[in-house]
Amino acid sequence: DTEVTQTPKHLVMGMTNKKSLKCEQHMGHRAMYWYKQKAKKPPELMFVYSYEKLSINESVPSRFSPECPNSSLLNLHLHALQPEDSALYLCASSPTTERGERGYTFGSGTRLTVV
Amino acid sequence: GNSVTQMEGPVTLSEEAFLTINCTYTATGYPSLFWYVQYPGEGLQLLLKATKADDKGSNKGFEATYRKETTSFHLEKGSVQVSDSAVYFCALIPNSGGYQKVTFGTGTKLQVIP
């Protein structure tokens, strides 16, 4: 299994809603990442998990809350989002954060629209 | 810091034309270099990679050679197809120890017309 699976593919939420994005990989990777991608832009790093522990938070607002329940799963909890948070949210994984030469494996993303 | 510069798009080609998308980078040491492709409405897929100078990465008819002397990693394909229409991102990951953060270029949109 060489995939990163993200659910849901599309999500529409109101500014008062609470929702979660899910990401799963079964490649034995110990580093997992959340990225945000706006239209016509490259992905921007949000969070890095290494061995199930949060190692990097790129100054992301607290309305985004990541969680790594185990080595295969990564969640992103959303609460009180703003319309400008509408974007494609990508999950990625790599063997470890120190071994970058294999590149990252990305999921297909969740297209989030905040209304 | 590290940076990746790609040619501005969009690039519009006729089917079976030759493709070049330029990519140059700035980094200390010897980073690993990558091309990712993003089809409409999808995530990023690793297209090819090279981990040291003079390595050639290749996949699905695409090629790129790691040129240390010119700090470049240009993407080429001899004959493009309509199905190659996508956004292409050049990227680097440093091999400098510790956390290996990926740096992306701005992306180049390719449109292939029949």
Side-chain angles (χ1 to χ4, degrees):
Chain A
D1 188 350
T2 57
E3 289 187 342
V4 172
T5 303
Q6 289 188 244
T7 56
K9 285 196 172 301
H10 301 275
L11 179 63
V12 179
M13 61 184 291
M15 289 188 283
T16 59
N17 291 160
K18 288 185 180 181
K19 297 287 185 183
S20 297
L21 310 184
K22 296 185 183 303
C23 173
E24 188 169 6
Q25 58 89 13
H26 294 288
M27 295 177 282
H29 288 176
R30 305 312 299 271
M32 297 184 76
Y33 311 84
W34 280 114
Y35 281 84
K36 174 182 179 179
Q37 187 181 24
K38 300 287 277 186
K40 301 184 180 181
K41 297 289 187 181
E44 297 177 5
L45 182 67
M46 300 175 71
F47 302 104
V48 179
Y49 271 83
S50 177
Y51 291 88
E52 297 93 69
K53 294 191 188 307
L54 181 66
S55 62
I56 293 180
N57 176 341
E58 293 279 317
S59 303
V60 179
S62 60
R63 57 186 184 269
F64 296 91
S65 176
E67 177 196 22
C68 189
N70 59 55
S71 61
S72 300
L73 295 174
L74 187 65
N75 299 321
L76 186 63
H77 303 297
L78 314 173
H79 174 55
L81 294 193
Q82 303 298 310
E84 59 264 30
D85 296 322
S86 299
L88 181 67
Y89 287 84
L90 294 165
C91 176
S93 70
S94 65
T96 68
T97 55
E98 292 81 22
R99 294 288 305 278
E101 70 275 10
R102 298 185 193 178
Y104 292 7
T105 302
F106 282 85
S108 297
T110 294
R111 177 75 58 188
L112 174 67
T113 303
V114 181
V115 297
Chain B
N2 300 326
S3 67
V4 175
T5 302
Q6 288 182 238
M7 63 187 290
E8 290 285 331
V11 174
T12 301
L13 296 173
S14 297
E15 207 165 21
E16 299 183 1
F18 185 86
L19 168 71
T20 299
I21 299 178
N22 290 338
C23 170
T24 57
Y25 68 91
T26 302
T28 55
Y30 298 88
S32 295
L33 302 174
F34 305 86
W35 278 101
Y36 283 89
V37 59
Q38 187 171 31
Y39 298 101
E42 298 189 10
L44 275 69
Q45 298 178 23
L46 179 61
L47 181 59
L48 54 82
K49 65 178 182 180
T51 57
K52 60 182 187 294
D54 300 323
D55 267 1
K56 177 184 285 188
S58 61
N59 186 24
K60 300 181 181 179
F62 291 89
E63 293 183 342
T65 301
Y66 190 142
R67 301 287 189 197
K68 181 69 175 173
E69 64 276 13
T70 54
T71 61
S72 65
F73 193 55
H74 304 320
L75 183 68
E76 297 182 335
K77 187 176 186 183
S79 176
V80 294
Q81 305 300 312
V82 171
S83 57
D84 294 326
S85 298
V87 179
Y88 292 82
F89 290 97
C90 185
L92 73 80
I93 296 179
N95 291 312
S96 54
Y99 168 52
Q100 307 287 299
K101 182 176 182 178
V102 61
T103 298
F104 289 99
T106 52
T108 303
K109 183 175 182 179
L110 170 65
Q111 183 177 12
V112 181
I113 54 178

